[in-house]
């Protein structure tokens, strides 16, 4: 069942590989680094460490043979068929779990078939991983798409040290409890030695869910689970630690990029092509209902209505990277945002000066750095977000101490970037006030805020995060006991 080829001491397991497949006009396959929070973070971490990365290539073609990526990682593709993409990825991951884990901003959909496919795909990830992990290796599993992998992998390979990191929030038990498969998900996670979360609240929510739904006991961050006869790992007691290890970015690398003459020149060009406004407002998000783009547009529309801002002096650039385009809630969101932007521009734009520049596209990193440099006020207004790397990236790019960050309280980042202009995006009046303050505040005050946030982002960068995570995993309480008589299943 498990192939025995080359094996690695460190294995990352994530839904996606850090690359997208592109086939050119000559039929040649190329691999391009794919955008997204997890990839951005892990790519820079693993570049220094080497090892293997197990994940899906992002399309339904046949999985290619393992190959070496740009960053020197060995990539092990997992194949998904069209029905699996629909049921595991678009369905259970993004239409069941994603809304439940983000405060039920849209209603979750429950389908037993999606769950069965989620289980089957998690099993496939566990099997591929079992085949590439060396004896006693460290395996770092990522995110909500793979919550069953820790227990499935533990069953195949009890010698491994297994960690899981939750990039998104972990919901309060009142919401998590809606899931018909809640116990199975918790048991899947309890197969790990260490579970990392973005905030203490997320770790606490997980510990409470285990207590209430599985009857575990806990002391601080350490959960004790007596097991159950019908559990994958049997009724053997085990201990698992769950704690906050907030993710970050490669701040120095991004700052260096932002300082290059090409990026600085591009930032100036962007401002010039916007008509040299006094204030450039910027939003950069995956087009997702969690990101609060509608609330942000509503606040900007009202500020235009109120006569507080007007183009060409003030303009909003909104980059909304295409995301999950086959999921109904995302299609509906796109429709709503298209309509809102159209209405705002119809009412307030003039020839050659738009109120909102709306870009439903994906850009290279250099262009993102230039946009961050060009923006006077960065608007990060999610209704719920595990961390939000964009907020940290903006801060890292502002080596000139310019700019101002408006940041939602409902992001993980708000727990670290306390000197941002914090806002509640549901409170449109309050949000408008925060935007105006961020625009008009005393420049010295703004510089001080930026400086304090930069200290935080540079001292707690992605390398520090990875070290903290891997240390916590290495020191996790104790290895699970295995049922006696079970051999290794490979
Ligand atoms: C999840 C959690 C958590 C976006 N558009 C382009 C582009 N990006 C990059 C950004 C940033 C990343 O993608 C997005 O990360 P976020 O953290 O803002 O959001 P999610 O994708 O929802 O990430 C989130 C994260 O995981 C990590 O744990 O922070 O809470 O939801 O790096 O810059 N990059 C490029 N072109 C684009 O068009 N090059």
């Amino acid at each position: 069942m498990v192939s025995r080829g080359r094996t690695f001491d460190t294995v990352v397991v994530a839904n996606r590989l850090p690359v997208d497949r592109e086939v050119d006009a000559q039929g040649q396959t190329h691999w391009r680094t794919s955008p997204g929070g997890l990839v951005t973070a892990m790519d820079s971490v693993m570049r220094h460490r080497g090892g293997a990365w197990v994940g899906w290539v992002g399309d339904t073609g046949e999985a290619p043979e393992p190959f070496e990526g740009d960053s020197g990682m060995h990539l092990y593709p997992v194949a998904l068929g069209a029905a699996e993409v629909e049921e595991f990825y678009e369905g259970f991951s993004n239409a069941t779990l994603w809304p439940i884990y983000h405060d039920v901003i849209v209603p979750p959909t429950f389908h037993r078939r999606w769950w069965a496919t989620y289980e089957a795909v998690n099993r496939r990830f566990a099997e591929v991983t079992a085949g590439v992990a060396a004896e006693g290796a460290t395996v770092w599993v990522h995110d909500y798409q793979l919550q069953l992998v820790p227990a499935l992998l533990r069953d195949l390979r009890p010698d491994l040290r297994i960690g899981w990191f939750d990039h998104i929030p972990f919901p309060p038990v009142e919401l998590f409890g809606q899931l018909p498969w809640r116990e199975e998900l918790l048991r899947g996670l309890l197969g790990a030695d260490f579970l990392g979360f973005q905030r203490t609240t997320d770790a606490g929510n997980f510990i409470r869910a285990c207590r209430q739904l599985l009857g575990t006991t806990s002391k601080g961050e350490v959960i004790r689970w007596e097991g159950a006869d019908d559990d994958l790992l049997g009724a053997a007691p085990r201990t698992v630690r769950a704690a906050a290890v907030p993710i970050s970015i490669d701040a120095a690398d991004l700052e260096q990029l932002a300082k290059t003459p090409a990026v600085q020149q591009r930032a100036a060009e962007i401002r010039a092509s916007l008509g040299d406004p006094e204030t450039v407002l910027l939003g950069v998000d995956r087009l997702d209902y969690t990101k609060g783009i509608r609330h942000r547009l509503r606040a900007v529309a009202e500020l235009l209505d109120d006569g507080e801002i007007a183009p060409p002096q003030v303009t909003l650039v909104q980059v909304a990277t295409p995301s999950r385009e086959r999921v109904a809630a995302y299609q509906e969101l796109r429709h709503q945002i298209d309509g809102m932007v159209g209405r705002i521009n119809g009412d307030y734009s003039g020839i050659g000066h738009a109120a909102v520049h709306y870009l439903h596209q994906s850009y290279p990193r250099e262009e993102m750095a230039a946009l961050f440099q060009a923006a006077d006020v960065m608007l990060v207004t999610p209704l719920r977000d595990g961390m939000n790397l964009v907020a940290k990236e903006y801060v890292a790019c502002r080596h000139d101490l310019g700019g101002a960050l408006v940041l939602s309280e409902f992001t993980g980042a708000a727990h670290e970037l306390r000197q941002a202009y914090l806002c509640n995006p549901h409170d449109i009046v309050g949000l408008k006030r925060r935007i105006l303050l961020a625009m008009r505040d005393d420049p010295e005050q703004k510089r001080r805020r930026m400086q304090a946030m930069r200290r935080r982002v540079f001292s707690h960068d992605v390398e520090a995060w990875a070290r903290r995570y891997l240390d916590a995993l290495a020191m996790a309480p104790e290895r699970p006991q295995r049922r006696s008589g079970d051999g290794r299943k490979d």
Side-chain angles (χ1 to χ4, degrees):
M1 172 176 66
V2 174
S3 71
R4 279 270 160 253
R6 188 169 171 191
T7 58
F8 298 85
D9 289 332
T10 309
V11 182
V12 170
V13 191
N15 175 49
R16 283 296 311 273
L17 284 177
V19 290
D20 287 324
R21 176 164 29 202
E22 277 179 356
V23 181
D24 66 19
Q26 284 73 45
Q28 292 283 342
T29 298
H30 302 276
W31 298 97
R32 196 170 59 99
T33 303
S34 54
L38 187 148
V39 165
T40 311
M42 288 308 293
D43 204 39
S44 53
V45 167
M46 296 310 291
R47 198 171 298 153
H48 308 302
R49 288 183 168 79
W53 184 315
V54 174
W56 172 47
V57 288
D59 59 35
T60 55
E62 245 178 60
E65 286 301 305
F67 62 101
E68 198 167 321
D70 287 347
S71 50
M73 295 270 303
H74 295 264
L75 308 182
Y76 282 78
V78 175
L80 293 185
E84 288 172 336
V85 173
E86 203 180 312
E87 293 166 11
F88 155 75
Y89 177 67
E90 293 162 354
F92 199 77
S93 297
N94 289 325
T96 307
L97 293 173
W98 183 267
I100 289 265
Y101 284 43
H102 288 90
D103 290 358
V104 195
I105 297 167
V106 307
T109 305
F110 302 127
H111 284 307
R112 279 166 272 187
R113 216 195 12 206
W114 289 0
W115 163 252
T117 309
Y118 182 84
E119 263 189 309
V121 170
N122 270 247
R123 193 171 294 280
R124 188 173 313 147
F125 272 83
E127 285 170 359
V128 174
T129 308
V132 300
E135 183 71 27
T138 294
V139 177
W140 191 351
V141 185
H142 289 264
D143 232 356
Y144 62 104
Q145 302 94 346
L146 302 178
Q147 294 178 85
L148 305 180
V149 169
L152 291 167
L153 184 58
R154 168 85 53 212
D155 192 44
L156 294 168
R157 292 287 305 273
D159 59 299
L160 301 177
R161 190 148 275 260
I162 303 171
W164 177 80
F165 183 76
D166 186 19
H167 289 257
I168 68 175
F170 198 89
V173 64
E174 291 78 8
L175 297 179
F176 183 78
Q178 289 183 14
L179 280 163
W181 308 278
R182 56 200 193 181
E183 285 92 354
E184 288 89 333
L185 288 164
L186 295 177
R187 290 174 184 193
L189 292 174
L190 288 174
D193 297 293
F194 176 66
L195 299 164
F197 295 87
Q198 302 277 26
R199 300 171 307 155
T200 313
T201 312
D202 299 312
N205 285 345
F206 175 78
I207 293 169
R208 268 188 296 280
C210 288
R211 202 166 44 226
Q212 289 185 30
L213 301 171
L214 295 183
T216 58
T217 52
S218 56
K219 197 166 175 207
E221 295 172 336
V222 177
I223 303 166
R224 188 169 169 84
W225 163 229
E226 298 302 328
D229 285 335
D230 61 342
D231 194 61
L232 207 55
L233 298 171
R238 39 185 287 99
T239 46
V240 179
R241 182 169 164 238
V245 187
I247 200 168
S248 195
I249 57 164
D250 190 341
D253 187 63
L254 195 56
E255 181 188 51
Q256 203 181 4
L257 178 67
K259 279 183 172 166
T260 57
V263 168
Q264 302 215 1
Q265 191 188 330
R266 179 64 194 143
E269 271 169 31
I270 291 172
R271 287 193 76 98
S273 57
L274 293 170
D276 275 320
E278 283 161 24
T279 306
V280 176
L281 308 173
L282 175 66
V284 172
D285 315 80
R286 273 188 312 97
L287 186 51
D288 195 299
Y289 50 79
T290 58
K291 302 291 182 184
I293 305 171
R294 281 175 309 186
H295 296 64
R296 188 182 313 164
L297 287 173
R298 173 119 187 254
V300 167
E302 287 194 18
L303 287 171
L304 288 158
D305 273 342
D306 302 343
E308 292 281 5
I309 62 171
Q313 291 83 10
V314 180
T315 188
L316 167 67
V317 177
Q318 175 64 55
V319 176
T321 312
S323 184
R324 305 175 190 171
E325 290 178 283
R326 284 162 30 127
V327 178
Y330 289 74
Q331 293 167 354
E332 171 62 19
L333 175 71
R334 180 163 184 204
H335 182 71
Q336 290 171 350
I337 304 271
D338 285 355
M340 288 180 84
V341 172
R343 267 197 305 280
I344 297 173
N345 278 337
D347 288 345
Y348 293 103
S349 296
I351 290 173
H353 45 85
V356 181
H357 294 79
Y358 174 54
L359 307 161
H360 183 247
Q361 293 161 48
S362 176
Y363 292 93
R365 265 180 94 231
E366 293 72 16
E367 184 73 359
M368 302 303 252
L371 280 163
F372 290 146
Q373 281 269 301
D376 300 293
V377 179
M378 183 80 212
L379 301 176
V380 179
T381 58
L383 307 180
R384 181 59 71 195
D385 212 335
M387 175 54 64
N388 195 289
L389 295 181
V390 168
K392 292 187 172 181
E393 288 165 355
Y394 178 66
V395 168
C397 283
R398 299 317 300 245
H399 51 85
D400 57 346
L401 301 186
L405 174 65
V406 173
L407 179 61
S408 162
E409 292 162 13
F410 302 108
T411 61
H415 294 255
E416 295 182 70
L417 306 179
R418 304 302 302 167
Q419 298 82 5
Y421 293 89
L422 295 176
C423 69
N424 167 6
H426 297 281
D427 169 14
I428 301 295
V429 174
L431 177 56
K432 285 160 60 181
R433 267 198 231 115
R434 294 314 265 171
I435 295 173
L436 289 177
L437 181 61
M439 286 171 61
R440 298 171 182 167
D441 209 0
D442 167 39
E444 191 43 42
Q445 186 58 245
K446 294 207 299 202
R447 290 168 70 83
R448 271 207 292 273
R449 285 177 181 253
M450 187 54 80
Q451 198 152 35
M453 292 193 290
R454 284 173 60 76
R455 268 199 295 272
R456 173 77 198 187
V457 171
F458 280 80
S459 61
H460 292 73
D461 67 356
V462 75
E463 187 52 39
W465 167 73
R467 235 181 299 120
R468 241 184 103 188
Y469 185 91
L470 291 169
D471 286 352
L473 176 53
M475 292 169 48
E478 80 186 31
R479 294 293 178 87
Q481 314 275 308
R482 235 187 122 68
R483 285 166 296 189
S484 58
D486 266 3
R488 191 162 119 187
K489 297 182 190 169
D490 60 357

